[in-house]
């Protein structure tokens, strides 16, 4: 079974631009979560989508948004990029991710975003 | 909010020896899930082992085992017969059982070096 895929793997943007990152979950997985990883803040949760609905959201400004499609693929968008948005963005998928299940999140290889 | 603490930023171990990585967490929940993830230089997060809090038996996966002390809120990872391929960042993570709370809370990580 294919793993979680993310595109693109590397991205360079300038301040003020916007960017869209894509994530394809493992086949059959309906929950997709996004994380930001930086040297200073570590791994931080951005948001989670399940059945095309945002189910949970971390503490990030409204410039960060996402969506999920009917095939469970997800995209995240960052508008008006700032230098501090430079990070590794990781996507993770799980079967249901609902409540009292031991659902494991499987991660993709990440997208390295550099903002100049 | 739950917090996860990894007090060892760096650890090293001789090849074939055993090493233990520490993790403590803070929560008021009685049921939850704990994970250890490995992030090699390729940056892909890989699940190492997971533990359900309601299970008293410590989880084991081949050379990897945990020492789960619920009362002490401690969740250490033991790597036996260390191999060069074990060199990576190791992250401890916590997940709530609450519905709609599929996000992982990560520690700051421990960088493990394996010395040949």
């Amino acid at each position: 079974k294919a793993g979680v895929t993310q595109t693109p793997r590397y991205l360079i943007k300038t301040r003020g631009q916007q960017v869209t990152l894509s994530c394809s979950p493992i086949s059959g997985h309906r929950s997709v979560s996004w994380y930001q990883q930086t040297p200073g803040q570590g791994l931080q949760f951005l948001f989670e989508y399940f059945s095309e609905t945002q189910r949970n959201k971390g503490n990030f400004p409204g410039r960060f948004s996402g969506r999920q499609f009917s095939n469970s693929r997800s995209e995240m968008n960052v508008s008006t990029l700032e230098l501090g948005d430079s990070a590794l963005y990781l996507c993770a998928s799980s079967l249901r991710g609902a409540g009292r299940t031991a659902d494991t999140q499987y991660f993709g290889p990440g997208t390295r975003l550099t903002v100049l | 909010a739950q917090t996860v603490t990894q007090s060892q930023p760096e650890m090293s171990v001789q090849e074939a020896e055993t090493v233990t990585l520490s993790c403590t967490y803070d929560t008021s929940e009685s049921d939850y899930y704990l994970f250890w993830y490995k992030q090699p230089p390729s940056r892909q997060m890989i699940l190492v082992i997971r533990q359900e809090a309601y299970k008293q038996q410590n989880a084991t996966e081949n050379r990897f085992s945990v020492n789960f002390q619920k009362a002490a809120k401690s969740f250490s990872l033991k790597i036996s017969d260390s191999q060069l391929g074990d060199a990576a960042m190791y992250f401890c993570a916590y997940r709530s059982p609450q519905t709609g709370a599929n996000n992982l809370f990560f520690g700051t990580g421990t960088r493990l070096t394996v010395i040949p």
Side-chain angles (χ1 to χ4, degrees):
Chain A
K1 188 181 277 191
V4 179
T5 59
Q6 292 186 246
T7 57
R9 294 292 308 277
Y10 301 91
L11 207 49
I12 299 175
K13 293 285 187 179
T14 56
R15 278 181 298 174
Q17 287 187 308
Q18 75 164 21
V19 66
T20 299
L21 312 182
S22 181
C23 171
S24 292
I26 292 171
S27 177
H29 285 195
R30 297 172 63 191
S31 169
V32 174
S33 298
W34 289 89
Y35 295 85
Q36 181 197 64
Q37 185 176 23
T38 60
Q41 299 298 318
L43 281 150
Q44 294 185 288
F45 170 74
L46 280 155
F47 31 62
E48 183 213 1
Y49 286 87
F50 180 80
S51 292
E52 302 178 63
T53 301
Q54 187 181 88
R55 189 161 63 175
N56 198 7
K57 190 178 189 304
N59 189 26
F60 278 81
R63 299 184 297 108
F64 291 83
S65 63
R67 60 178 176 168
Q68 186 179 35
F69 302 94
S70 58
N71 61 358
S72 294
R73 188 177 71 86
S74 177
E75 289 181 347
M76 68 162 282
N77 184 77
V78 189
S79 62
T80 319
L81 283 166
E82 301 177 0
L83 295 179
D85 296 334
S86 293
L88 180 70
Y89 289 88
L90 293 166
C91 161
S93 78
S94 61
L95 273 171
R96 296 177 301 279
R100 295 184 175 276
T101 64
D103 263 4
T104 295
Q105 293 190 27
Y106 296 92
F107 284 80
T111 294
R112 169 75 66 186
L113 172 64
T114 302
V115 181
L116 303 176
Chain B
Q2 289 77 10
T3 58
V4 179
T5 302
Q6 293 180 250
S7 58
Q8 307 153 315
E10 296 184 355
M11 292 280 286
S12 62
V13 62
Q14 292 284 143
E15 197 175 1
E17 296 295 310
T18 296
V19 65
T20 298
L21 308 184
S22 301
C23 172
T24 58
Y25 55 93
D26 185 27
T27 183
S28 58
E29 297 174 319
S30 59
D31 193 15
Y32 44 85
Y33 307 100
L34 297 166
F35 304 85
W36 278 98
Y37 282 90
K38 164 185 175 182
Q39 189 178 42
S42 68
R43 308 300 285 178
Q44 175 129 23
M45 297 281 276
I46 302 165
L47 176 70
V48 175
I49 199 165
R50 72 181 190 192
Q51 174 84 41
E52 291 88 349
Y54 65 86
K55 291 185 178 178
Q56 293 185 334
Q57 186 173 9
N58 289 326
T60 299
E61 287 288 344
N62 301 312
R63 297 182 295 107
F64 300 87
S65 61
V66 299
N67 184 5
F68 174 49
Q69 301 289 328
K70 192 172 183 179
K73 297 180 182 175
S74 171
F75 182 59
S76 61
L77 174 69
K78 185 172 83 171
I79 306 174
S80 304
D81 185 26
S82 296
Q83 300 176 359
L84 295 177
D86 295 334
M89 281 290 287
Y90 285 81
F91 292 95
C92 177
Y94 172 103
R95 178 182 163 256
S96 167
Q98 294 181 30
T99 300
N102 192 32
N103 53 299
L104 296 168
F105 294 91
F106 286 93
T108 51
T110 297
R111 182 176 302 281
L112 178 66
T113 300
V114 181
I115 303 166

